Amino acid sequence: MNAFCSGHYTWKMVELHKQHGKYPLWGPLLSYITEKTGDKSAIDFFSFLNDMLVVTRDTLSLFSTPAVDDEVKDERSIIQALVQSNLRPDEKKLMRVYDDVRTVTGAAFETPAAAMRLILFYVYSNPTILKKLRTDLASVAPQEPEGPVFDLTSLEQLPYLTAVITEGLRLSPGVAARQARNAPNRELVYDK
């Protein structure tokens, strides 16, 4: 059950539910199953989605009021950009803005996590690569009793580490699914 409830699959299930809203029990059922199985990562994921909805609602209401503090006006966010854009009012509603926030947030953790999983799989599947990478890292590791704390500048100078990361990013798919283009009030025409 843990594999089913991991963040990647749970995110895909939530997206499936969003796209096929004709199954209104799908989201609550997933949430219920997750709570009953006790899978901490999935419980945390659903909690994160709920928190994100609350933050989106609060931020949307803040930027929707005319008397916004000058200090807040200077801060730029996705929500502020959507609210202050030329979009129609129905495109600025909570669930539409929340969908955009979820998409950006999902991209921020889904894509790097997929690349890291792939890199770790190949590194730990090949003892030669693992040994060479450990040797490379040991050459710049500070000798402290608490354990190594690497300096980013030193890590960037390691050719084998750079090669492993670059190859992992090359092999890793950047986007696993396409973003649907929806235009309920007009036709979408390619190249116009």
Side-chain angles (χ1 to χ4, degrees):
M1 191 63 180
N2 284 348
F4 170 74
C5 290
S6 71
H8 171 75
Y9 294 106
T10 306
W11 182 267
K12 297 298 179 201
M13 295 297 187
V14 170
E15 287 300 306
L16 179 69
H17 168 63
K18 186 181 93 177
Q19 292 172 7
H20 304 285
K22 59 187 173 188
Y23 306 110
L25 296 178
W26 186 248
L29 178 63
L30 260 179
S31 188
Y32 177 78
I33 290 171
T34 301
E35 286 179 22
K36 293 303 175 191
T37 61
D39 181 11
K40 178 147 176 37
S41 64
I43 291 169
D44 290 345
F45 178 76
F46 278 108
S47 176
F48 170 72
L49 287 178
N50 288 334
D51 291 347
M52 204 168 28
L53 179 60
V54 170
V55 168
T56 302
R57 182 178 44 239
D58 293 348
T59 308
L60 191 60
S61 67
L62 174 71
F63 286 117
S64 297
T65 58
V68 175
D69 207 352
D70 282 341
E71 184 179 308
V72 175
K73 282 184 182 177
D74 292 340
E75 295 177 14
R76 297 295 294 171
S77 70
I78 298 167
I79 299 170
Q80 181 182 4
L82 288 170
V83 169
Q84 295 174 348
S85 71
N86 295 335
L87 289 171
R88 295 184 321 271
D90 63 311
E91 292 287 317
K92 298 178 182 182
K93 290 187 178 177
L94 174 63
M95 292 315 290
R96 165 66 168 82
V97 174
Y98 175 60
D99 285 345
D100 284 349
V101 171
R102 277 189 9 205
T103 300
V104 170
T105 307
F109 77 82
E110 184 74 21
T111 306
M116 286 172 50
R117 278 192 303 267
L118 186 103
I119 291 169
L120 290 173
F121 170 78
Y122 282 112
V123 166
Y124 281 95
S125 294
N126 188 325
T128 306
I129 293 173
L130 180 60
K131 183 177 180 184
K132 192 168 181 179
L133 188 58
R134 283 183 173 163
T135 303
D136 209 21
L137 290 169
S139 71
V140 295
Q143 303 300 321
E144 296 179 14
E146 296 88 35
V149 177
F150 293 99
D151 175 42
L152 181 60
T153 308
S154 300
L155 292 175
E156 290 174 340
Q157 303 304 315
L158 298 176
Y160 196 73
L161 175 63
T162 302
V164 166
I165 292 171
T166 304
E167 186 66 5
L169 291 171
R170 185 186 72 79
L171 292 172
S172 175
V175 177
R178 70 176 190 87
Q179 181 70 25
R181 298 281 313 260
N182 296 333
N185 300 329
R186 63 186 171 96
E187 289 185 28
L188 290 178
V189 180
Y190 174 73
D191 203 24
K192 291 198 179 186

